[in-house]
Amino acid sequence: MATWRRSMSTFRSALSHLERTAQQPRQNGLHEVILSKVDQVNPRIRLLQLALPNRASLKFLPGQWLDVFVPGLSKAGGFTITSTPRDAVYQPAQDGYVELAIQDSPKNPPAAWLWRPRSEILGKSLLIRVGGSFVWPPPVIPAEEVKRLVLVAGGVGINPLISIFSHIYNQPALNPEHIRFLYTSRGTSQAVDEILFYPRIQKLMATRPSPHRTLELYLTGPSQAAQVGESLGGPSKEASVRNRRITHDDLISALGPVKERKGVVAYVCGPASMTDEFVAVLQSAEGITEDRVLCEKWW
């Protein structure tokens, strides 16, 4: 079985985005956007803002991705939306926009184009189309019935989860009482503001601090947990930094007491092997049904 999984992962990673997602739901229309902003988060990740011109707005659900057609390439690249639906609505003071976090991937032609020098790509027109089924609210339970939300991210698997997390914090009425966010990153040699979306999560959590909403950052490279913790002002009830991998015990603990798991939903996104492992652990936990564990893999 283990060999089969590795072979399937290798096969899937060789497919194009359009081939991998052929069975996923997609909107029908294409939307024109303007690449209006490029920010460098760290040496491997760029944040792009795609502005919606002519007072246009874009409808999507948190967690969805875009087919992105760049000039000169016939095949679209697939990139997850990291902003919220509210950001994509036209406001008198600002055009609507969608944000993407793009990893430096020279062998991926659309990503390579988006990593060209800023002067070559800013102001360029792109075409996008919304797709994907890894979304909030979950399809199996009304959002207001979710009492505990567990988010598990590995690496750039943070992308759909930051959209979901930000959206929930922007909608207080739909905010689950308990949120556990487990985020594992190799970026331990970076400054804290270079760990993708970590400062944004911290800022959101500071708007409504609660001991029932916690962030756990797991650093898997050379130890810098102490430095990261100090940069955040020391330990807090809402955030912790650990220099190790996420364990099965961490996952089970995040689900809360067995008698309260009827209102639990978990989202997992990361590398294929990590996602398969963590989903299996969560789905086999007492009090959890398989349909309450949603996942998406990046390849």
Side-chain angles (χ1 to χ4, degrees):
M1 181 63 73
T3 301
W4 181 84
R5 281 188 176 183
R6 286 195 296 270
S7 297
M8 282 299 295
S9 295
T10 301
F11 172 72
R12 288 291 300 263
S13 64
L15 299 176
S16 71
H17 161 69
L18 294 177
E19 292 168 326
R20 284 196 307 271
T21 61
Q23 303 304 314
Q24 289 283 309
R26 277 180 165 82
Q27 294 181 6
N28 290 327
L30 291 171
H31 301 266
E32 181 184 7
V33 293
I34 305 298
L35 205 169
S36 58
K37 188 177 181 180
V38 178
D39 287 328
Q40 198 79 28
V41 178
N42 59 48
R44 298 195 64 210
I45 302 289
R46 277 183 168 183
L47 280 186
L48 308 183
Q49 274 194 16
L50 308 180
L52 295 155
N54 304 318
R55 301 186 177 184
S57 296
L58 181 71
K59 292 184 178 180
F60 67 92
L61 292 173
Q64 289 191 295
W65 38 256
L66 296 178
D67 296 330
V68 179
F69 293 88
V70 303
L73 295 176
S74 59
K75 287 189 177 182
F79 306 103
T80 302
I81 302 169
T82 57
S83 50
T84 69
R86 188 173 71 174
D87 297 321
V89 176
Y90 170 76
Q91 303 290 341
Q94 180 177 333
D95 287 336
Y97 69 89
V98 287
E99 178 190 73
L100 306 176
I102 309 295
Q103 185 167 283
D104 186 15
S105 305
K107 294 183 180 180
N108 178 332
W113 191 94
L114 294 168
W115 262 79
R116 289 183 179 182
R118 288 180 176 84
S119 60
E120 294 183 16
I121 61 175
L122 278 172
K124 297 294 186 182
S125 175
L126 313 177
L127 293 176
I128 61 172
R129 177 171 54 211
V130 175
S133 57
F134 182 71
V135 298
W136 177 271
V140 297
I141 178 175
E144 60 269 19
E145 294 182 16
V146 178
K147 306 304 180 185
R148 179 183 291 265
L149 175 64
V150 179
L151 304 174
V152 185
V156 294
I158 188 71
N159 289 350
L161 300 186
I162 191 61
S163 177
I164 292 171
F165 186 75
S166 302
H167 174 75
I168 288 172
Y169 262 80
N170 289 334
Q171 305 285 332
L174 299 180
N175 214 334
E177 180 181 0
H178 295 265
I179 300 177
R180 291 283 296 273
F181 203 145
L182 285 65
Y183 178 16
T184 180
S185 172
R186 293 180 184 175
T188 56
S189 63
Q190 302 163 4
V192 64
D193 60 354
E194 293 184 358
I195 298 175
L196 183 59
F197 296 124
Y198 192 40
R200 185 178 300 184
I201 297 169
Q202 285 289 101
K203 185 176 181 179
L204 284 167
M205 295 182 72
T207 63
R208 285 193 297 279
S210 166
H212 301 304
R213 303 184 188 119
T214 60
L215 168 65
E216 299 162 28
L217 178 65
Y218 295 83
L219 305 178
T220 59
S223 177
Q224 251 194 342
Q227 293 92 317
V228 173
E230 289 171 4
S231 71
L232 296 173
S236 72
K237 294 180 180 179
E238 292 80 28
S240 61
V241 184
R242 299 166 182 174
N243 201 85
R244 60 174 175 82
R245 297 180 182 277
I246 297 173
T247 68
H248 293 182
D249 287 343
D250 295 325
L251 297 171
I252 298 302
S253 173
L255 297 174
V258 173
K259 64 181 181 180
E260 299 176 7
R261 290 179 182 173
K262 184 178 179 180
V264 173
V265 173
Y267 288 74
V268 184
C269 187
S273 58
M274 185 208 86
T275 302
D276 288 342
E277 177 187 348
F278 287 0
V279 166
V281 171
L282 292 166
Q283 288 182 336
S284 64
E286 184 177 357
I288 298 295
T289 57
E290 290 188 2
D291 61 355
R292 298 293 181 93
V293 181
L294 295 83
C295 73
E296 186 161 84
K297 307 171 189 179
W298 57 266
W299 305 88

